[in-house]
Amino acid sequence: MPTPYGSRGGMAFGADELHVLRRSLAHALQSSTAPLTAVEVQDCLRLAASVDDAVQEAGRLRAFLLADLARYRAALPGSLSGYLELLQDALAAGYEPVPDDLAALRALRANPVAAALLERSQTIAERSVRRRLSTAPAPRTRLLTLAGGTDTGGTGKGGTEKENDPARPKPEPRPADRPARPVPTPGEVFPPRRKPAPPPEAGRAAG
């Protein structure tokens, strides 16, 4: 079974496993399309399962390394030598230092090894920040009101600017021979009601 080799993601293969790999690669590169035998298929499947197990084991080793690094960092300055050694291994395995690592190294910069690791860690941290910024989605730009459109901002400023725009056509003046129609008065719209005629007197009706 292949085993993890170090904390950098490498693997160590045995002689039989290398033989299976060599045979599988040769079959993949050859021009013929002859299928693998049943034994060869089983060997390839077993090797694939072993590689998966080795990858999982490498992940567990990395998790143990980072946990040890956090414990040694919390025990500083008494754990100086062990912390610096673990940090070197973690950086070699692709670890990106966190702000706690940078703060600890700044406090230990009197040590030559810590000073060198501080410079290296700052470079890695800056590169990580630039990478995240370059892959971040661009912010959505605010849509501006198009010329001649309707101001939907609700501030009233856009309407004033549009009215004072010299490029906007002005309304045609009203001809002098067509005077404006006067507004009717309430008396014209609602004429007064006529009072009803009084009823005839009873005496006059009897005579």
Side-chain angles (χ1 to χ4, degrees), residues 87-88 91-93 97 115-125 127:
L87 182 58
Q88 288 177 350
L91 294 177
L117 282 177
L118 175 60
E119 184 177 357
R120 180 181 177 188
S121 298
Q122 287 177 338
T123 302
I124 296 175
R127 188 185 305 122

Side-chain angles (χ1 to χ4, degrees), residues 88-120:
Q88 288 177 350
D89 293 341
L91 294 177
Y95 170 70
E96 295 182 355
V98 297
D100 290 341
D101 292 315
L102 299 177
L105 292 174
R106 291 190 187 99
L108 302 170
R109 65 177 63 187
N111 184 289
V113 179
L117 282 177
L118 175 60
E119 184 177 357
R120 180 181 177 188

Side-chain angles (χ1 to χ4, degrees), residues 38-198:
V39 176
E40 292 173 339
V41 171
Q42 292 300 322
D43 291 341
C44 292
L45 292 177
R46 281 193 296 267
L47 181 59
S50 299
V51 170
D52 291 339
D53 293 340
V55 171
Q56 294 178 0
E57 183 64 21
R60 287 191 291 267
L61 290 177
R62 177 181 174 84
F64 289 148
L65 172 62
L66 297 183
D68 287 340
L69 179 64
R71 284 193 295 268
Y72 275 79
R73 184 176 59 231
L76 288 171
S79 58
L80 174 61
S81 59
Y83 171 71
L84 296 179
E85 182 179 355
L86 287 174
L87 182 58
Q88 288 177 350
D89 293 341
L91 294 177
Y95 170 70
E96 295 182 355
V98 297
D100 290 341
D101 292 315
L102 299 177
L105 292 174
R106 291 190 187 99
L108 302 170
R109 65 177 63 187
N111 184 289
V113 179
L117 282 177
L118 175 60
E119 184 177 357
R120 180 181 177 188
S121 298
Q122 287 177 338
T123 302
I124 296 175
E126 293 173 359
R127 188 185 305 122
S128 176
V129 171
R130 287 196 297 267
R131 184 178 66 253
R132 288 196 296 268
L133 291 177
S134 62
T135 57
R140 297 179 60 184
T141 57
R142 184 178 179 181
L143 296 178
L144 302 178
T145 305
L146 298 178
T150 303
D151 184 14
T152 58
T155 59
K157 182 178 179 181
T160 304
E161 293 176 357
K162 291 172 186 176
E163 292 175 358
N164 299 331
D165 188 1
R168 185 177 182 180
K170 297 182 179 180
E172 297 181 0
R174 186 184 299 273
D177 56 348
R178 293 173 57 187
R181 183 179 180 182
V183 179
T185 62
E188 295 175 352
V189 178
F190 304 102
R193 295 182 181 181
R194 296 182 179 180
K195 296 182 179 181

